[in-house]
Amino acid sequence: MLLDAHCHVDRFPNPESIAAACERQRVTTVAVTNLPSHFKVGNQHVGGLQYVKLALGFHPLAVGKQHGELEEFLRLLPVAAFVGEIGLDYSKEGASTKREQLATFRAIAEALMGTQKFVTIHSRGAEDAVLDVLAEFQIQNPVLHWYSGTLAVLERAVEQGCFFSLNPAMIRSKKGQGIIARIPRARILTETDGPYVKIGSRSAEPSDVRGVVEFLAREWNVPLSEAIGQVFENFRIIVGEATQG
Ligand code: MN
């Protein structure tokens, strides 16, 4: 049993075989989407699966080019137990749409207020701004995916109750390792962010979270089964509360 808390199953050339592998290998996979219209299409393909959890998303870098997607997102939100990828991207790539991104993210956060869903969040170059919005709307147990901000802001995120999903690219980099060392074990999840994260020349697939949890077992000096158990305990805290809400 493994957990991939953030994977773009629909961005692989062969989404159906990726989803089938999750089922066969028992890799619980949060299949994020970049647009609510993609969530609608995906639901027809993976809606009935046990291990693949389709998430309703509106990626910050997709904001500004789309019409009617925010309305669609808000309409679909009541039926979605998993939400993502949402968030802000204030890196060079997202700088021109900062204003629209913030308006969209705030509207989504406002709609999430008082609900208890699994929410996976992009925060590149906008970590403080993301935390401001999460605090304003009291979002419960938010998951920061691929956190890459400063250690000072990381401390704030931990204090604010965030969880963190870690991927193969983070465990390879010095900066990522420094971040991981500062996160309490009870806040850690594993992810691939496939197909965007690569393992050598190929795209990371959900079962590649094994490498991340093996890294955690070494870091924590515990057996692999204990590291896997910790990750699932953390996941169940979020999802268990989600099923009540
Ligand atoms: Mn992603």
Side-chain angles (χ1 to χ4, degrees), residues 6 8 32 34 59 85 122 145 193 196:
H6 186 114
H8 296 261
V32 298
N34 288 343
H59 196 287
E85 179 164 5
H122 178 108
H145 120 83
D193 203 19
Y196 301 114

Side-chain angles (χ1 to χ4, degrees), residues 36 56 69-78 107-109 111-112:
L56 173 64
E69 291 278 3
L70 177 60
E71 291 71 19
E72 182 78 330
F73 186 102
L74 298 174
R75 201 178 61 72
L76 290 166
L77 188 60
I108 290 171
L112 282 169

Side-chain angles (χ1 to χ4, degrees), residues 8-59:
H8 296 261
V9 173
D10 64 352
R11 309 316 290 168
F12 283 84
N14 53 339
E16 272 156 349
S17 68
I18 297 290
C22 294
E23 297 291 304
R24 200 173 57 241
Q25 300 166 330
R26 300 199 302 155
V27 183
T28 299
T29 300
V30 178
V32 298
T33 53
N34 288 343
L35 285 171
S37 51
H38 298 173
F39 172 85
K40 270 175 81 177
V41 173
N43 223 355
Q44 297 161 18
H45 296 277
V46 300
L49 299 182
Q50 187 186 348
Y51 288 91
V52 178
K53 316 288 188 188
L54 190 66
L56 173 64
F58 196 171
H59 196 287

